[in-house]
Amino acid sequence: MMVLLKILLITASLLCLNTQVLAQTPAKPILSLYCEDDKPLQFFDENKNLTGLTVEVVQEIQKRIGNKDRIQVVPWSRGIDKLNKEPNSLLFTMARTPDREDLYQWIGPILMIEYGLYVKADSTIHIQKLEDAKKIGLIGVYRDDIRDQTLSKLGFTNLDRASSVTSSFKKLMIGRIAAYADAKKGVAITANLAGYQASDVKLAYDLFKNSLYIAVSKNTDAAIVAQWNNTLDEMKRDKSFLKILKKYNEQ
């Protein structure tokens, strides 16, 4: 009887000890993953499933580290607001610029992207230098995007800020603006979404290029960012990252 009692006491002590250890082990924080609908980086396919180049990269990282937090599709301005105010928030895909450098932590790079100014195919507008673009009339930009921020910083006062690049394309085609800014590889997609063809516009001026990253809120544990970056580096080494790029004709 005494032996049985001792066994029960020891078992109870071990259970108590295990409970204390578990209580002291910090739980992994829930990550808020945000992206905008921006084909081919992030978009819904014909079956309403979220996919895209960056989505697949993020999902592969999640798979490798055992993270199952949900990706939420939100307007870009809302994603920025969440990133600025909430810890453990990730937003993709974002251009990394000097102005943004110290505002966030960064996972990447994911992709290099080039931007240009586009006008209607039959337009007589000629832009030889950046200063010329300040005199051509309204230029459509995606509100709070890298295009808006960069041109604003360069002193442009003729920007027409829209809720989407598609909206700017439509405005261009009906003559409400003189030009619009778009990613070079995104023009065909933008045109299609607006109900037009890429041949309906032409490149008038090369703007700039930037590397795209996953941005992380400043007050997120740096160890989380390091884990994601290390996993992305692993994907690049084992060629799984390259496989995703090739799938979307990026390499």
Side-chain angles (χ1 to χ4, degrees):
M1 186 68 181
M2 291 297 294
V3 173
L4 178 60
L5 181 59
K6 287 182 179 180
I7 293 174
L8 290 174
L9 288 173
I10 292 172
T11 301
S13 298
L14 289 173
L15 287 173
C16 183
L17 180 61
N18 287 336
T19 301
Q20 291 176 344
V21 170
L22 288 173
Q24 293 171 1
T25 302
K28 289 184 179 180
I30 295 175
L31 301 180
S32 298
L33 308 173
Y34 300 107
C35 72
E36 62 173 337
D37 189 343
D38 183 20
K39 192 174 184 179
L41 300 177
Q42 305 98 214
F43 65 97
F44 291 101
D45 63 18
E46 61 274 10
N47 296 317
K48 306 301 180 183
N49 295 317
L50 183 62
T51 187
L53 190 156
T54 315
V55 169
E56 290 200 27
V57 170
V58 169
Q59 290 175 336
E60 180 61 23
I61 293 175
Q62 288 183 284
K63 177 182 175 182
R64 295 187 183 205
I65 66 175
N67 177 276
K68 297 182 179 180
D69 295 325
R70 183 173 64 91
I71 299 174
Q72 304 175 59
V73 180
V74 298
W76 185 250
S77 57
R78 187 184 305 172
I80 290 287
D81 186 60
K82 295 289 186 180
L83 195 64
N84 291 336
K85 296 179 179 178
E86 299 179 359
N88 305 316
S89 295
L90 284 70
L91 175 64
F92 56 92
T93 313
M94 181 185 283
R96 186 172 181 174
T97 66
D99 287 344
R100 291 171 171 170
E101 181 64 34
D102 295 330
L103 297 178
Y104 311 112
Q105 301 181 73
W106 303 93
I107 299 167
I110 305 296
L111 193 68
M112 176 67 74
I113 192 166
E114 296 180 283
Y115 297 96
L117 285 180
Y118 290 83
V119 297
K120 293 178 69 173
D122 59 357
S123 174
T124 58
I125 291 175
H126 294 287
I127 303 174
Q128 300 296 324
K129 56 185 185 298
L130 201 59
E131 289 301 310
D132 295 340
K134 296 179 180 180
K135 308 169 186 177
I136 65 171
L138 292 176
I139 296 173
V141 292
Y142 185 11
R143 184 181 293 110
D144 294 327
D145 176 76
I146 181 65
R147 288 153 281 196
D148 180 7
Q149 294 178 349
T150 299
L151 294 181
S152 294
K153 187 177 180 180
L154 289 171
F156 279 72
T157 58
N158 57 334
L159 301 181
D160 179 83
R161 297 175 175 86
S163 59
S164 69
V165 185
T166 304
S167 177
S168 291
F169 195 104
K170 291 179 179 178
K171 289 181 180 180
L172 175 68
M173 297 312 296
I174 62 176
R176 290 181 57 186
I177 58 178
Y180 91 105
D182 202 352
K184 290 185 177 181
K185 293 183 178 180
V187 174
I189 294 171
T190 303
N192 182 261
L193 291 173
Y196 294 89
Q197 303 293 323
S199 57
D200 291 323
V201 298
K202 63 182 179 182
L203 178 65
Y205 189 77
D206 289 307
L207 282 175
F208 52 85
K209 58 184 178 181
N210 275 103
S211 293
L212 300 182
Y213 286 71
I214 300 167
V216 186
S217 53
K218 193 72 174 178
N219 47 1
T220 299
D221 187 346
I224 294 175
V225 181
Q227 182 186 38
W228 279 61
N229 266 315
N230 290 338
T231 305
L232 178 59
D233 289 342
E234 178 184 280
M235 290 169 57
K236 291 178 178 179
R237 287 193 298 270
D238 66 23
K239 308 300 182 182
S240 56
F241 180 78
L242 180 60
K243 183 177 179 181
I244 295 174
L245 293 186
K246 288 182 176 180
K247 179 178 178 179
Y248 293 92
N249 297 316
E250 298 283 355
Q251 49 186 306

